[in-house]
Amino acid sequence: MADSEVDLDAEQYDKHREAGEILAQVRAETADRVEVGVSHLEVAEFAEDRIRELGGQPAFPVNISIDEEAAHATPGIDDETTFGEEMINLDIGVHVDGWLADTAITVDLSGHDDLAEAPAAALEAAIDLIEPGVETGELGAAIESSIDDYGYNPVVNLTGHGLGHWEQHTSPTIPNREVSQGTTLEVGDVVAIEPFATDGGGKVSEGASEEIFSLEREGTVRNRQARQALSQITEEFRTLPFATRWLETDRAAMALRRLKRNDIVHGYPVLKEDDGCLVSQKEHTVIVTEDGCEVTTRDRA
C-alpha cells in the first residue's frame, strides 16, 4: 500500500488507539497490585475485568510469567499461586472490535533492577528509530545492543510482531537481535515491539504446562461440552487466544483436550529459559506515521 493511500484517521486506527489507551491504564493499575502474597488469579482477573469495564475486551489471557518464564503463563481456574520475591512479567492485550493493542511490563520483586531496566531501555532505543523505510533488522540491532550494554542477553527466539484485525501475531516480525534481512516498515503498520532480556543463554523452550489456546480451524465434535466450548470460542474469541478458565462449559479442560485431539484448537505451552535464570520484558504497540510513530500504549499520566 502506498503511503498516500493510508488514512491514519480511519476508524480502524481510532480503535487501535482506543485499545491502547485502555491498555495503558490497565497496565498501570495491574502492576500496582503485584505484591508478595497476592494471588496470580486475582491479578489476572482484575486486569481482564477492568479491560471490560473500560470498554474493551481482552485480546488474550493476561500472561503472568515468573523468573525463568517468558510467555504463555496464565493462572488456571482454581490456581492459588501467590507472588513471592520474584521477577514478574505482565503481558496484557486489549481489542476493540478486533483491533488490537499489546503491552508488557516487568514488576521486579527480586532485586534485579538492571535486568528489569534492560528491555525498557531497548524498547525506547527501537522506538526512536521507527519511521517509514526503516528495516526491522535495524530495530533488532538496537534492541540487542541496548540489552548487551546492560550485560545481559536478548531472548533471540521471541520477537515483536504486527497486529492485524482479530490477529494477535501477524507480519512483520520484529527481531530482538541484529538480522541481515528484515522487513521495511510502512506508514500505517501497527506493530508490537517486545524486547526480552535474560541472564541466561537467550533462548526459551517449551515447558509442560498449557493454559492458553486458540482456534486452529472450524470443525465438529460429538461431545456436548466440547460443542459448547467450540461455540463460545468461535463466537466470542474467534482466532484470538483464550484461557481454559474463560470457558463457560463444565469440564472445560476435558472439552479442550477433545478439541485439541481433533486439531480444532491448539495450545500455547509456557515458554521458559533454563531453571535458575531470570527473564524481563517490556512492550509497546506503535502505529507507523509519516514522520515516525505513535505509541498507542504509552502512559497518559
Side-chain angles (χ1 to χ4, degrees):
M1 185 183 291
D3 291 355
S4 60
E5 298 176 14
V6 179
D7 179 9
L8 294 179
D9 294 320
E11 184 180 23
Q12 72 183 70
Y13 292 107
D14 285 343
K15 290 182 176 180
H16 278 299
R17 293 181 182 102
E18 183 182 349
E21 188 169 347
I22 292 167
L23 194 46
Q25 181 174 341
V26 172
R27 179 187 60 228
E29 292 178 2
T30 304
D32 283 346
R33 280 163 171 74
V34 175
E35 297 178 350
V36 172
V38 173
S39 152
H40 290 199
L41 184 59
E42 178 185 324
V43 167
E45 290 186 334
F46 166 82
E48 292 159 4
D49 289 344
R50 191 73 176 112
I51 288 166
R52 298 181 186 104
E53 288 172 7
L54 293 171
Q57 290 291 327
F60 52 86
V62 171
N63 284 207
I64 299 178
S65 304
I66 305 297
D67 289 345
E68 74 273 8
E69 296 173 343
H72 303 163
T74 200
I77 192 165
D78 296 317
D79 199 318
E80 296 181 350
T81 309
T82 58
F83 296 110
E85 294 180 349
E86 302 158 326
M87 181 159 284
I88 298 132
N89 297 323
L90 302 174
D91 195 341
I92 312 173
V94 169
H95 78 85
V96 174
D97 296 333
W99 303 103
L100 289 88
D102 193 352
T103 195
I105 188 170
T106 294
V107 180
D108 180 42
L109 305 181
S110 71
H112 293 81
D113 294 352
D114 281 357
L115 181 54
E117 291 170 8
L123 176 60
E124 293 304 324
I127 287 172
D128 285 346
L129 294 176
I130 295 176
E131 62 181 2
V134 73
E135 286 210 345
T136 54
E138 295 177 52
L139 306 183
I143 288 168
E144 181 175 28
S145 175
S146 185
I147 292 173
D148 184 65
D149 285 346
Y150 276 82
Y152 298 108
N153 293 316
V155 176
V156 298
N157 59 339
L158 291 175
T159 65
H161 49 90
L163 294 168
H165 192 214
W166 296 102
E167 289 184 283
Q168 188 206 353
H169 286 124
T170 186
S171 60
T173 294
I174 314 294
N176 285 323
R177 61 171 174 171
E178 184 175 8
V179 296
S180 56
Q181 290 186 319
T183 302
T184 301
L185 295 183
E186 300 177 0
V187 172
D189 285 345
V190 181
V191 295
I193 314 295
E194 188 170 12
F196 294 80
T198 181
D199 57 2
K203 284 194 175 182
V204 293
S205 56
E206 292 184 352
S209 61
E210 204 173 63
E211 284 287 343
I212 299 176
F213 299 84
S214 67
L215 185 67
E216 180 78 21
R217 63 174 182 86
E218 299 288 340
T220 57
V221 283
R222 296 176 61 184
N223 176 265
R224 179 179 63 84
Q225 288 95 345
R227 286 201 312 272
Q228 287 177 341
L230 183 57
S231 176
Q232 182 184 359
I233 292 163
T234 54
E235 291 176 17
E236 187 174 342
F237 314 131
R238 303 196 192 188
T239 54
L240 294 176
F242 61 90
T244 308
R245 58 186 161 81
W246 289 1
L247 296 179
E248 293 164 1
T249 185
D250 56 338
R251 304 184 70 190
M254 180 277 292
L256 280 172
R257 285 196 296 272
R258 288 180 183 270
L259 293 173
K260 188 177 176 185
R261 197 160 58 234
N262 285 281
D263 298 321
I264 294 172
V265 303
H266 69 271
Y268 296 86
V270 174
L271 300 177
K272 305 168 67 174
E273 252 284 1
D274 292 336
D275 288 348
C277 298
L278 298 174
V279 178
S280 57
Q281 177 188 15
K282 189 69 186 289
E283 178 182 21
H284 274 312
T285 297
V286 308
I287 301 171
V288 181
T289 61
E290 286 89 348
D291 58 357
C293 72
E294 175 184 352
V295 183
T296 66
T297 50
R298 188 81 80 188
D299 286 330
R300 301 304 196 272

